[in-house]
Amino acid sequence: MKKIAAIFDNPILYNTFQYLAGSNKARKIFVKKYISPKPNTRMLDIGCGTGDILSYLPKDLDYVGFDPLQSCIDFCQKAGYGRGEFYRDSIESTDRHYHNEFDIIIATGVIHHLDDDAARKLFDFSYKALKPGGKLVTVDGAYSNEQSAIAKWMVSRDRGQFIRTPEEYKNLAMERFNINEIKDDLLSNFLRIPYTHFIMSCIK
């Protein structure tokens, strides 16, 4: 498993796997349905990875991304996106302080790598960084009674050590966001491979 994890720490191999899994279609849906950026939107990407989400975002969007892997930050800075600010940082150790600065914050494939305390920090950090009316959108693998046996097996093989049920993800979010301002979707067909994704949109 460590060798597999090391492969996915390589930005080029990671992007190749994502492409084969059908991430292009998934990202288009994610941007249109869940992010829905408006002109001059300011967005923060927590755990930005290779920054390929930029290819699906409007040109006038003001983008900031950070990731704990220097290899990913180097890739983003050399990828030729022509925009965006990229920093090496992690939600667990960040000393950045944003207040009412972002319209949208995304954390795709992040929370299932965080223990409960770190996940709480992400929600707290995001709430403070969002403008009033702004939203945090998260995407993570999840366990569900509705998922197929093969999807459950695939989720269990994820590198993330803190995969939760939808209720467990929502309970963490509700410690900072109002339950009435949280919308969620459980998807089994987001990628070509059998997998279960849980998406939350949390409005400040």
Side-chain angles (χ1 to χ4, degrees), residues 160-176:
Q161 299 300 303
F162 301 97
I163 295 173
R164 302 169 173 89
T165 65
E167 291 74 20
E168 289 170 331
Y169 285 117
K170 285 183 69 175
N171 286 339
L172 287 167
M174 286 189 297
E175 292 185 23
R176 202 61 177 90

PDB file of all heavy atoms in Angstrom, residues 160-176:
ATOM      1  N   GLY A 160      -6.967   7.475   2.210  1.00  0.00           N
ATOM      2  CA  GLY A 160      -7.474   8.180   3.384  1.00  0.00           C
ATOM      3  C   GLY A 160      -7.806   7.217   4.514  1.00  0.00           C
ATOM      4  O   GLY A 160      -8.473   6.196   4.303  1.00  0.00           O
ATOM      5  N   GLN A 161      -7.372   7.530   5.700  1.00  0.00           N
ATOM      6  CA  GLN A 161      -7.567   6.653   6.856  1.00  0.00           C
ATOM      7  C   GLN A 161      -8.790   7.005   7.685  1.00  0.00           C
ATOM      8  O   GLN A 161      -9.070   6.357   8.694  1.00  0.00           O
ATOM      9  CB  GLN A 161      -6.315   6.706   7.743  1.00  0.00           C
ATOM     10  CG  GLN A 161      -5.043   6.232   7.052  1.00  0.00           C
ATOM     11  CD  GLN A 161      -5.144   4.799   6.574  1.00  0.00           C
ATOM     12  OE1 GLN A 161      -5.410   3.898   7.368  1.00  0.00           O
ATOM     13  NE2 GLN A 161      -4.951   4.591   5.279  1.00  0.00           N
ATOM     14  N   PHE A 162      -9.554   8.038   7.241  1.00  0.00           N
ATOM     15  CA  PHE A 162     -10.678   8.505   8.061  1.00  0.00           C
ATOM     16  C   PHE A 162     -11.946   8.637   7.216  1.00  0.00           C
ATOM     17  O   PHE A 162     -12.657   9.631   7.286  1.00  0.00           O
ATOM     18  CB  PHE A 162     -10.327   9.841   8.723  1.00  0.00           C
ATOM     19  CG  PHE A 162      -9.118   9.763   9.606  1.00  0.00           C
ATOM     20  CD1 PHE A 162      -7.870  10.134   9.128  1.00  0.00           C
ATOM     21  CD2 PHE A 162      -9.212   9.278  10.900  1.00  0.00           C
ATOM     22  CE1 PHE A 162      -6.739  10.052   9.925  1.00  0.00           C
ATOM     23  CE2 PHE A 162      -8.088   9.190  11.715  1.00  0.00           C
ATOM     24  CZ  PHE A 162      -6.844   9.576  11.229  1.00  0.00           C
ATOM     25  N   ILE A 163     -12.216   7.609   6.416  1.00  0.00           N
ATOM     26  CA  ILE A 163     -13.444   7.595   5.622  1.00  0.00           C
ATOM     27  C   ILE A 163     -14.624   7.401   6.573  1.00  0.00           C
ATOM     28  O   ILE A 163     -14.608   6.540   7.450  1.00  0.00           O
ATOM     29  CB  ILE A 163     -13.394   6.497   4.555  1.00  0.00           C
ATOM     30  CG1 ILE A 163     -12.281   6.827   3.555  1.00  0.00           C
ATOM     31  CG2 ILE A 163     -14.735   6.370   3.844  1.00  0.00           C
ATOM     32  CD1 ILE A 163     -12.020   5.748   2.546  1.00  0.00           C
ATOM     33  N   ARG A 164     -15.650   8.210   6.369  1.00  0.00           N
ATOM     34  CA  ARG A 164     -16.782   8.239   7.284  1.00  0.00           C
ATOM     35  C   ARG A 164     -18.094   7.983   6.548  1.00  0.00           C
ATOM     36  O   ARG A 164     -18.131   7.941   5.314  1.00  0.00           O
ATOM     37  CB  ARG A 164     -16.844   9.607   7.982  1.00  0.00           C
ATOM     38  CG  ARG A 164     -15.591   9.970   8.767  1.00  0.00           C
ATOM     39  CD  ARG A 164     -15.627  11.432   9.198  1.00  0.00           C
ATOM     40  NE  ARG A 164     -14.535  11.801  10.078  1.00  0.00           N
ATOM     41  CZ  ARG A 164     -13.348  12.251   9.662  1.00  0.00           C
ATOM     42  NH1 ARG A 164     -13.090  12.357   8.364  1.00  0.00           N
ATOM     43  NH2 ARG A 164     -12.410  12.586  10.530  1.00  0.00           N
ATOM     44  N   THR A 165     -19.150   7.865   7.284  1.00  0.00           N
ATOM     45  CA  THR A 165     -20.493   7.825   6.701  1.00  0.00           C
ATOM     46  C   THR A 165     -20.938   9.261   6.431  1.00  0.00           C
ATOM     47  O   THR A 165     -20.384  10.215   7.019  1.00  0.00           O
ATOM     48  CB  THR A 165     -21.493   7.169   7.654  1.00  0.00           C
ATOM     49  OG1 THR A 165     -21.623   7.995   8.832  1.00  0.00           O
ATOM     50  CG2 THR A 165     -21.036   5.770   8.053  1.00  0.00           C
ATOM     51  N   PRO A 166     -21.943   9.466   5.575  1.00  0.00           N
ATOM     52  CA  PRO A 166     -22.453  10.824   5.369  1.00  0.00           C
ATOM     53  C   PRO A 166     -22.853  11.517   6.670  1.00  0.00           C
ATOM     54  O   PRO A 166     -22.590  12.716   6.851  1.00  0.00           O
ATOM     55  CB  PRO A 166     -23.667  10.598   4.460  1.00  0.00           C
ATOM     56  CG  PRO A 166     -23.310   9.382   3.669  1.00  0.00           C
ATOM     57  CD  PRO A 166     -22.574   8.505   4.643  1.00  0.00           C
ATOM     58  N   GLU A 167     -23.467  10.776   7.577  1.00  0.00           N
ATOM     59  CA  GLU A 167     -23.894  11.368   8.847  1.00  0.00           C
ATOM     60  C   GLU A 167     -22.704  11.851   9.664  1.00  0.00           C
ATOM     61  O   GLU A 167     -22.757  12.916  10.303  1.00  0.00           O
ATOM     62  CB  GLU A 167     -24.698  10.340   9.659  1.00  0.00           C
ATOM     63  CG  GLU A 167     -26.053   9.987   9.080  1.00  0.00           C
ATOM     64  CD  GLU A 167     -25.955   9.083   7.850  1.00  0.00           C
ATOM     65  OE1 GLU A 167     -24.891   8.424   7.656  1.00  0.00           O
ATOM     66  OE2 GLU A 167     -26.924   9.047   7.071  1.00  0.00           O
ATOM     67  N   GLU A 168     -21.617  11.106   9.636  1.00  0.00           N
ATOM     68  CA  GLU A 168     -20.428  11.505  10.396  1.00  0.00           C
ATOM     69  C   GLU A 168     -19.782  12.756   9.796  1.00  0.00           C
ATOM     70  O   GLU A 168     -19.329  13.638  10.533  1.00  0.00           O
ATOM     71  CB  GLU A 168     -19.437  10.345  10.437  1.00  0.00           C
ATOM     72  CG  GLU A 168     -19.898   9.196  11.319  1.00  0.00           C
ATOM     73  CD  GLU A 168     -19.048   7.954  11.185  1.00  0.00           C
ATOM     74  OE1 GLU A 168     -18.473   7.731  10.096  1.00  0.00           O
ATOM     75  OE2 GLU A 168     -18.965   7.181  12.167  1.00  0.00           O
ATOM     76  N   TYR A 169     -19.734  12.843   8.471  1.00  0.00           N
ATOM     77  CA  TYR A 169     -19.220  14.060   7.843  1.00  0.00           C
ATOM     78  C   TYR A 169     -20.098  15.257   8.213  1.00  0.00           C
ATOM     79  O   TYR A 169     -19.599  16.338   8.565  1.00  0.00           O
ATOM     80  CB  TYR A 169     -19.193  13.909   6.316  1.00  0.00           C
ATOM     81  CG  TYR A 169     -18.083  13.041   5.771  1.00  0.00           C
ATOM     82  CD1 TYR A 169     -18.380  11.872   5.077  1.00  0.00           C
ATOM     83  CD2 TYR A 169     -16.742  13.394   5.913  1.00  0.00           C
ATOM     84  CE1 TYR A 169     -17.375  11.076   4.544  1.00  0.00           C
ATOM     85  CE2 TYR A 169     -15.727  12.603   5.389  1.00  0.00           C
ATOM     86  CZ  TYR A 169     -16.050  11.438   4.704  1.00  0.00           C
ATOM     87  OH  TYR A 169     -15.054  10.651   4.179  1.00  0.00           O
ATOM     88  N   LYS A 170     -21.402  15.085   8.125  1.00  0.00           N
ATOM     89  CA  LYS A 170     -22.321  16.189   8.413  1.00  0.00           C
ATOM     90  C   LYS A 170     -22.241  16.616   9.872  1.00  0.00           C
ATOM     91  O   LYS A 170     -22.322  17.816  10.178  1.00  0.00           O
ATOM     92  CB  LYS A 170     -23.760  15.789   8.066  1.00  0.00           C
ATOM     93  CG  LYS A 170     -24.043  15.764   6.576  1.00  0.00           C
ATOM     94  CD  LYS A 170     -25.489  15.438   6.286  1.00  0.00           C
ATOM     95  CE  LYS A 170     -26.411  16.552   6.700  1.00  0.00           C
ATOM     96  NZ  LYS A 170     -27.820  16.283   6.303  1.00  0.00           N
ATOM     97  N   ASN A 171     -22.086  15.665  10.768  1.00  0.00           N
ATOM     98  CA  ASN A 171     -21.988  16.022  12.187  1.00  0.00           C
ATOM     99  C   ASN A 171     -20.786  16.922  12.450  1.00  0.00           C
ATOM    100  O   ASN A 171     -20.864  17.859  13.260  1.00  0.00           O
ATOM    101  CB  ASN A 171     -21.902  14.762  13.046  1.00  0.00           C
ATOM    102  CG  ASN A 171     -23.233  14.041  13.158  1.00  0.00           C
ATOM    103  OD1 ASN A 171     -24.290  14.648  12.945  1.00  0.00           O
ATOM    104  ND2 ASN A 171     -23.198  12.759  13.475  1.00  0.00           N
ATOM    105  N   LEU A 172     -19.681  16.653  11.779  1.00  0.00           N
ATOM    106  CA  LEU A 172     -18.502  17.515  11.927  1.00  0.00           C
ATOM    107  C   LEU A 172     -18.767  18.900  11.351  1.00  0.00           C
ATOM    108  O   LEU A 172     -18.409  19.917  11.951  1.00  0.00           O
ATOM    109  CB  LEU A 172     -17.299  16.880  11.232  1.00  0.00           C
ATOM    110  CG  LEU A 172     -16.682  15.669  11.933  1.00  0.00           C
ATOM    111  CD1 LEU A 172     -15.724  14.941  10.997  1.00  0.00           C
ATOM    112  CD2 LEU A 172     -15.956  16.090  13.205  1.00  0.00           C
ATOM    113  N   ALA A 173     -19.413  18.954  10.195  1.00  0.00           N
ATOM    114  CA  ALA A 173     -19.721  20.247   9.576  1.00  0.00           C
ATOM    115  C   ALA A 173     -20.663  21.061  10.437  1.00  0.00           C
ATOM    116  O   ALA A 173     -20.532  22.292  10.539  1.00  0.00           O
ATOM    117  CB  ALA A 173     -20.323  20.029   8.194  1.00  0.00           C
ATOM    118  N   MET A 174     -21.615  20.390  11.075  1.00  0.00           N
ATOM    119  CA  MET A 174     -22.624  21.091  11.866  1.00  0.00           C
ATOM    120  C   MET A 174     -22.068  21.685  13.152  1.00  0.00           C
ATOM    121  O   MET A 174     -22.754  22.469  13.815  1.00  0.00           O
ATOM    122  CB  MET A 174     -23.794  20.148  12.178  1.00  0.00           C
ATOM    123  CG  MET A 174     -24.689  19.887  10.985  1.00  0.00           C
ATOM    124  SD  MET A 174     -26.211  18.982  11.395  1.00  0.00           S
ATOM    125  CE  MET A 174     -25.543  17.422  11.985  1.00  0.00           C
ATOM    126  N   GLU A 175     -20.849  21.333  13.510  1.00  0.00           N
ATOM    127  CA  GLU A 175     -20.243  21.984  14.667  1.00  0.00           C
ATOM    128  C   GLU A 175     -19.884  23.435  14.355  1.00  0.00           C
ATOM    129  O   GLU A 175     -19.659  24.234  15.270  1.00  0.00           O
ATOM    130  CB  GLU A 175     -18.995  21.211  15.103  1.00  0.00           C
ATOM    131  CG  GLU A 175     -19.311  19.834  15.682  1.00  0.00           C
ATOM    132  CD  GLU A 175     -18.074  19.126  16.210  1.00  0.00           C
ATOM    133  OE1 GLU A 175     -17.088  19.832  16.526  1.00  0.00           O
ATOM    134  OE2 GLU A 175     -18.089  17.883  16.316  1.00  0.00           O
ATOM    135  N   ARG A 176     -19.845  23.780  13.058  1.00  0.00           N
ATOM    136  CA  ARG A 176     -19.512  25.161  12.671  1.00  0.00           C
ATOM    137  C   ARG A 176     -20.559  25.805  11.783  1.00  0.00           C
ATOM    138  O   ARG A 176     -20.802  26.997  11.858  1.00  0.00           O
ATOM    139  CB  ARG A 176     -18.153  25.184  11.936  1.00  0.00           C
ATOM    140  CG  ARG A 176     -17.486  26.556  11.963  1.00  0.00           C
ATOM    141  CD  ARG A 176     -17.215  26.955  13.397  1.00  0.00           C
ATOM    142  NE  ARG A 176     -16.520  28.215  13.528  1.00  0.00           N
ATOM    143  CZ  ARG A 176     -17.099  29.410  13.642  1.00  0.00           C
ATOM    144  NH1 ARG A 176     -18.417  29.511  13.608  1.00  0.00           N
ATOM    145  NH2 ARG A 176     -16.386  30.508  13.823  1.00  0.00           N
TER     146      ARG A 176
END
